[in-house]
Amino acid sequence: MANVELFGRDTELGQLSDFLASVSRSGGSRLISGEAGVGKSALMSCAAELAVLSGMRVLRASGSEFEAEVSYASLNQLLLPIHDDLERLPPGPREALSVALGFGAGPSPDALLVCNAALLLVKAVAADVPVVLLVDDVQWMDRASAAVLGFLARRLEGCRAGLLISARAETVSFLDRRGMTELVVPPLDEEAACLLVDTNHPAMPVRVRQRLLDLAQGNPLALMELPSTLSGAARHPVAPAEIVPLSDRLQAMFASRLADLPDPTRRLMLLATFEGTGDVRVLRSAFGDPSGLADLAPAERAQLVRVDDATARIAFRHPLIRSAIVAMSTHEERRTVHLALAAALTEDHERRAWHLAAAAVGPDEAVAELLESAAHRVMLRGDAFAAVTALIRAAELSTTSAGRSRRLSEAAYIGAEASGALDDAKMLLTDARRATPDSAGSLHAANAAAFLMLNGDGDVNTAHRLLAGAIETADHGYRAEDPALLEAMHTLMLLSWYGSAPEYWEPFYRALRKLQPQPPEVLALASRTFPDPVRTAASAHASSAAILQTLPDETDPTRIMRIGTASVYLDRLGDCRESSWRLVRQGRDGGAPRRHLGAIMHLCLDDYLVGRWDEAEELALEGQRVCDTSGFSFFAWYFRYNRALIAAGRGRFDEAYTLADEMTHWALPRGVTAAALFAQHPRTLAAIGQGDFDAAFHHAAAMSPPGVLASYVPHCMWVMFDLVEAAVRTGRTVEARAHVEAMRTAEVAALSTRMALIQAAADFLVSDGDEARTKLEALLSGPAGERWLLDSSRIRLVVGERLRRTGSALEARGHLLVAHDGFAAMAAAPWLERTRNELRAAGHRSGEEAAGHPAALTAQELQIARLAASGLSNKQIAERLYLSHRTVGAHLYRIFPKLGITSRAGLRDALSAQPDSR
């Protein structure tokens, strides 16, 4: 096989190999055709290598535009290596071919005599060794050589000689193709194109990679040539996103066909290129002449464009035709087209702004303002990259240094905060300060600088001081509608949260109180639910519910992410799942990385609490990859936290402690106190999983000491139950009661159904009466017990343990069996083993342990068993019986040992042996 690696060409190479094998036996001819750059020449090279490896003699030639008028030029190139074999021909044919090839003098030979002489020569050489003639780019071959090759192609059958010719599809040549078997080479499929790009450019950014694939449309030459120009090519947010600089080889693919078009046709194609959508109505309006599209006909006939009559849209046959058209146009032609399109797009403000910007020949404040407005609109759609591009162009068109600085500062902020283009953001910020030396005081500049600090050395304290100072000194009048001020407030809130101390929050609340007429609703909500929810979040339920109701129709990614942030400590992330997944999908498709990361954070936490641990681990790993590749290294700690929690819950204790230690090692030198505190959570969970309750108590107390729910450490709520359980088990009764009292005083139960469940469980742990148990069991049997799988399973285990120890083994088994199913669903190995031990101690026998005649089923158990035996899933059974799927699972767990079976497979036979109890 050939040493040259061709991606996605196994079929074609197989056909060529078969052809060469047949040539060695009986000769033949083939024609390879395909669009320019599709890889015909590469296949020809592989065919040559295959032929050499097979012991064949290879003669090669290729057509040339510059020799197309020289008779027999290509034939000379092809037969020159066997010039000495001319002596093997009879005198007449030998002299005719020698003259035709320019080796001898004489009158112009008869064409048929030359054709016969060439055939005799090839057959003479093939008598010694099989020979294959490879001729590339036949569309540029001279007429005389093409006639000889056509003659040979139809007369090589029966001898050990073959002819393999390549030709560009949809081009005219002098070759008579009749009777030739054709091998059409298609563009690469998506898998092969991706493999080619990833092999040659493994570090290419996702967004650039996707643009490359879209532009190349499977053309291998384009896939190889475009990366050198694509990465540095500015993206024009109007339709010409497909317009990129072309290499000389790519330009040559289209230049000859475009150059032959009439000038009016090329101008109309240029108009269609910059219009971008292919809307014929817009083109007619911009062209100014309703009949003017008739000039498009030559391009249609050349199959460069096509017009869909049903949709009234023009489409280019290949995206790179656009780039070639632009490359062949003049500056004034491009400017005229942009002005015409701007005049036609009066209702499309964003595209109109860009066309006016493209036509501008100098600073123009009116156009700069239009572009700035366009940037804000596209940012609402989540396209941070397009927003940055628009603001940079607006800065270039600004007529004042202050305007230029302000727009560059905002572009730097968006680049640093949303897109992850940190190097670009640094340069933009430098340019902004150069434009106006005091621009460091602008809010956008300070905001950008704060994010650059976070993702640089992660210095929270310096970033906080910088931004708080900018907010307090900037001339903004604390107007709530000022977008720069609001962005700065949201950033300051995050920085204060990272600091996790009252002194960080003082500047934030000071500025919040000054906002006029009042803080916007999402900022107001987050200010109550995010910094210190223990003390302020309960009053935000009504406003939270109202804002969450807007999420299904919300399209602004920034708002979606911030609503999720405001919902974390109210345990309302489940209401944000659908919207968060939209952001994740946008991020995977090349959207703003920061929004992608924020959505993953929220999904990971919700997954952990409701028991979707497999998804949580996958998303956490995805989040870390995005951090590593997008420039947002600061946020990687959060995904280590999620991974550490799952590792601890599943018994991978070394991994959990290692990840927690990595968080601490990274966080403390940078002042990211929140991350250091978060690291105590997986340590606590791991210690409990190992049965080391003394260590668990100390880890939990490090977040907030017993009897205290620390201010501005909201994540201490996530280890309240752990601290109380560890305190009770280690004899720290006073500390346990103090912490439970602190929870009651703070009324944490009012925050969410999960917090109510945890409060009731903590009360149960420190009480001796039945009242606390009754209240807790009521919550466990309700929606909270269903939704919060991790907490409800752990709490049921604790309840079952106590009931067994107080002699209520039957009641204990009920709780323990449900806990068992919950831990099994999460693959929470340490807790699952602990639950199994308790079940055995409570007298429960598994299917393997059961003996004797199976116990009779209750009416509901029999109903569930029959439905399961019929093939219904737990979910389908639950829907039919108005139960939860977990309740169905718990029933089946009890049914199997009663019937003496271990799985669904044995249900049908076991039920047939049961007495009918209906």
Side-chain angles (χ1 to χ4, degrees):
M1 196 61 188
N3 292 326
V4 179
E5 182 180 12
L6 293 183
F7 296 97
R9 295 300 186 212
D10 291 346
T11 299
E12 290 80 3
L13 288 172
Q15 291 175 326
L16 289 176
S17 182
D18 292 343
F19 166 68
L20 292 172
S22 69
V23 165
S24 295
R25 296 189 302 270
S26 58
S29 62
R30 289 288 188 278
L31 173 67
I32 298 177
S33 66
E35 67 180 26
V38 80
K40 301 182 298 297
S41 296
L43 284 170
M44 295 286 277
S45 295
C46 282
E49 190 173 342
L50 285 168
V52 171
L53 291 173
S54 300
M56 303 175 73
R57 183 163 189 181
V58 177
L59 303 176
R60 300 195 67 170
S62 61
S64 169
E65 292 179 90
F66 305 106
E67 296 180 352
E69 302 302 322
V70 180
S71 293
Y72 297 115
S74 295
L75 190 64
N76 173 282
Q77 184 185 2
L78 183 67
L79 300 181
L80 184 60
I82 55 174
H83 171 263
D84 292 341
D85 291 288
L86 283 172
E87 298 301 324
R88 303 168 67 174
L89 301 182
R94 181 175 67 241
E95 291 172 6
L97 188 55
S98 180
V99 170
L101 297 179
F103 299 141
S108 179
D110 179 74
L112 184 58
L113 185 57
V114 174
C115 289
N116 275 310
L119 179 61
L120 289 172
L121 179 61
V122 170
K123 285 187 173 183
V125 174
D128 300 330
V129 62
V131 64
V132 61
L133 313 176
L134 303 179
V135 184
D136 210 357
D137 289 328
V138 76
Q139 70 274 1
W140 291 322
M141 183 173 292
D142 62 276
R143 182 188 295 271
S145 296
V148 175
L149 289 179
F151 183 89
L152 292 176
R154 289 181 287 277
R155 289 166 175 81
L156 292 178
E157 294 289 345
C159 68
R160 298 190 302 167
L163 176 63
L164 186 62
I165 297 175
S166 78
R168 184 176 296 183
E170 299 169 4
T171 57
V172 177
S173 74
F174 296 117
L175 179 70
D176 184 356
R177 304 184 184 187
R178 287 176 296 179
M180 296 188 69
T181 301
E182 187 172 0
L183 170 60
V184 179
V185 183
L188 296 177
D189 61 27
E190 183 177 2
E191 181 181 357
C194 290
L195 185 58
L196 175 61
V197 172
D198 294 341
T199 300
N200 289 281
H201 305 280
M204 180 176 287
V206 173
R207 191 180 182 89
V208 176
R209 176 181 181 273
Q210 188 58 53
R211 191 178 178 204
L212 169 62
L213 293 170
D214 292 342
L215 285 170
Q217 295 287 293
N219 186 287
L221 180 62
L223 289 167
M224 294 299 293
E225 294 277 329
L226 278 176
S228 62
T229 59
L230 189 59
S231 297
R235 179 193 163 205
H236 195 305
V238 190
E242 295 173 341
I243 299 172
V244 294
L246 297 181
S247 66
D248 292 341
R249 294 180 68 192
L250 288 176
Q251 181 67 25
M253 283 171 57
F254 305 104
S256 59
R257 299 176 68 189
L258 295 174
D260 293 337
L261 296 174
D263 287 346
T265 302
R266 287 195 295 106
R267 283 196 294 270
L268 190 51
M269 290 179 70
L270 184 64
L271 189 74
T273 291
F274 283 129
E275 190 279 330
T277 69
D279 192 330
V280 170
R281 292 165 298 183
V282 175
L283 293 176
R284 289 185 187 280
S285 175
F287 200 78
D289 181 358
S291 64
L293 296 190
D295 287 325
L296 198 63
E300 289 188 80
R301 294 191 187 101
Q303 299 189 33
L304 293 168
V305 299
R306 60 180 180 273
V307 180
D308 188 325
D309 295 329
T311 61
R313 291 191 179 274
I314 294 173
F316 285 81
R317 183 175 174 275
H318 194 283
L320 293 181
I321 295 174
R322 296 173 182 264
S323 298
I325 281 286
V326 173
M328 297 178 69
S329 65
T330 67
H331 165 75
E332 198 55 37
E333 284 175 335
R334 295 191 293 273
R335 185 171 181 274
T336 300
V337 163
H338 282 301
L339 288 172
L341 287 169
L345 294 167
T346 54
E347 300 301 319
D348 192 331
H349 302 294
E350 183 183 330
R351 293 172 67 204
R352 178 172 176 268
W354 268 108
H355 286 301
L356 289 173
V361 293
D364 188 322
E365 188 62 27
V367 177
E369 289 177 0
L370 290 174
L371 272 181
E372 186 175 1
S373 297
H376 296 155
R377 283 193 295 272
V378 299
M379 193 60 197
L380 291 177
R381 299 199 300 266
D383 194 343
F385 301 95
V388 169
T389 303
L391 285 167
I392 292 173
R393 181 60 177 145
E396 292 170 350
L397 295 173
S398 301
T399 55
T400 66
S401 296
R404 174 180 171 81
S405 175
R406 175 173 54 80
R407 288 161 181 151
L408 287 175
S409 295
E410 186 173 1
Y413 164 63
I414 294 173
E417 191 274 339
S419 74
L422 301 186
D423 290 339
D424 292 342
K426 292 175 184 176
M427 289 188 290
L428 290 170
L429 195 55
T430 300
D431 289 345
R433 288 167 173 162
R434 189 179 296 122
T436 304
D438 64 353
S439 65
S442 79
L443 285 180
H444 277 314
N447 227 344
F451 266 96
L452 290 171
M453 286 181 190
L454 283 185
N455 286 294
D457 56 13
D459 187 345
V460 168
N461 186 48
T462 303
H464 182 275
R465 282 192 288 105
L466 169 68
L467 190 55
I471 291 173
E472 291 179 349
T473 58
D475 182 18
H476 46 61
Y478 288 96
R479 297 184 303 277
E481 70 276 9
D482 183 340
L485 176 60
L486 293 182
E487 291 299 311
M489 289 294 291
H490 278 285
T491 303
L492 186 62
M493 182 173 68
L494 284 177
L495 292 171
S496 302
W497 185 78
Y498 297 142
S500 296
E503 58 268 23
Y504 281 97
W505 287 103
E506 290 168 5
F508 172 80
Y509 282 113
R510 194 160 53 239
L512 188 73
R513 288 190 295 269
K514 293 180 181 178
L515 285 180
Q516 296 297 326
Q518 60 187 11
E521 57 178 1
V522 175
L523 179 62
L525 175 64
S527 71
R528 286 186 287 167
T529 63
F530 195 61
D532 198 15
V534 169
R535 291 158 185 83
T536 59
S539 63
H541 277 300
S543 56
S544 171
I547 290 174
L548 285 168
Q549 287 179 352
T550 69
L551 271 181
D553 300 319
E554 184 57 67
T555 58
D556 179 0
T558 302
R559 183 178 168 86
I560 291 172
M561 187 181 72
R562 288 172 177 167
I563 290 173
T565 299
S567 304
V568 169
Y569 296 114
L570 290 177
D571 290 319
R572 297 294 297 269
L573 287 175
D575 298 293
C576 307
R577 284 192 68 85
E578 183 180 346
S579 299
S580 294
W581 270 114
R582 287 208 310 269
L583 297 191
V584 170
R585 287 189 288 270
Q586 288 176 12
R588 290 171 177 174
D589 291 339
R594 178 69 181 89
R595 308 296 173 257
H596 186 185
L597 290 171
I600 293 179
M601 291 177 188
H602 297 154
L603 288 168
C604 279
L605 177 58
D606 189 56
D607 283 342
Y608 169 70
L609 295 173
V610 302
R612 296 188 186 93
W613 284 12
D614 289 341
E615 181 178 280
E617 276 202 297
E618 291 172 4
L619 286 173
L621 289 170
E622 178 180 346
Q624 277 204 251
R625 286 195 300 270
V626 175
C627 287
D628 293 340
T629 59
S630 67
F632 286 109
S633 58
F634 178 86
F635 299 103
W637 71 266
Y638 193 87
F639 301 109
R640 288 190 176 90
Y641 163 72
N642 284 284
R643 289 173 56 205
L645 285 178
I646 304 300
R650 286 182 162 169
R652 304 195 305 265
F653 300 123
D654 288 344
E655 179 184 343
Y657 287 123
T658 298
L659 288 167
D661 290 346
E662 287 176 2
M663 291 170 61
T664 303
H665 176 75
W666 174 86
L668 289 180
R670 293 169 172 81
V672 191
T673 306
L677 290 169
F678 265 71
Q680 299 295 354
H681 188 184
R683 291 188 184 109
T684 303
L685 196 64
I688 291 176
Q690 292 174 302
D692 188 349
F693 289 97
D694 186 67
F697 176 82
H698 288 293
H699 289 312
M703 294 183 78
S704 188
V708 177
L709 298 179
S711 297
Y712 304 110
V713 185
H715 20 296
C716 74
M717 295 190 299
W718 298 347
V719 294
M720 293 185 304
F721 180 74
D722 304 275
L723 191 148
V724 174
E725 182 187 9
V728 168
R729 284 184 174 271
T730 56
R732 295 179 172 93
T733 307
V734 173
E735 288 87 343
R737 292 184 182 279
H739 213 62
V740 172
E741 185 58 33
M743 293 165 63
R744 290 196 197 108
T745 301
E747 298 181 344
V748 296
L751 293 179
S752 69
T753 57
R754 186 170 79 94
M755 288 295 110
L757 186 62
I758 287 173
Q759 176 73 72
D763 287 339
F764 171 79
L765 281 173
V766 298
S767 68
D768 297 322
D770 292 333
E771 183 180 349
R773 174 188 162 191
T774 301
K775 181 178 180 180
L776 175 58
E777 289 186 328
L779 288 170
L780 286 170
S781 62
E786 292 291 331
R787 172 162 178 74
W788 309 113
L789 184 61
L790 172 62
D791 292 304
S792 64
S793 298
R794 288 188 58 192
I795 290 167
R796 283 187 183 276
L797 173 57
V798 168
V799 173
E801 287 172 335
R802 174 180 287 190
L803 288 174
R804 183 186 68 78
R805 284 164 175 74
T806 57
S808 303
L810 183 61
E811 292 174 291
R813 287 200 295 270
H815 284 288
L816 293 171
L817 286 168
V818 178
H820 177 281
D821 290 347
F823 292 133
M826 294 180 284
W831 279 267
L832 188 59
E833 183 59 30
R834 184 170 143 193
T835 306
R836 285 171 176 161
N837 291 336
E838 282 297 321
L839 280 167
R840 283 192 288 269
H844 175 75
R845 293 180 298 170
S846 66
E848 293 80 2
E849 298 166 336
H853 190 74
L857 303 181
T858 66
Q860 187 175 56
E861 287 173 342
L862 184 61
Q863 187 180 22
I864 290 172
R866 285 173 173 159
L867 290 172
S870 72
L872 294 184
S873 68
N874 286 12
K875 183 178 180 182
Q876 291 169 323
I877 297 171
E879 291 172 350
R880 183 169 297 191
L881 300 182
Y882 300 99
L883 299 170
S884 77
H885 68 278
R886 294 194 185 95
T887 300
V888 171
H891 277 298
L892 285 171
Y893 186 85
R894 291 190 286 272
I895 289 168
F896 290 169
K898 285 186 178 183
L899 295 179
I901 60 176
T902 59
S903 69
R904 268 179 151 83
L907 274 173
R908 189 181 299 274
D909 292 340
L911 288 173
S912 65
Q914 279 282 97
D916 194 339
S917 58
R918 286 176 293 181

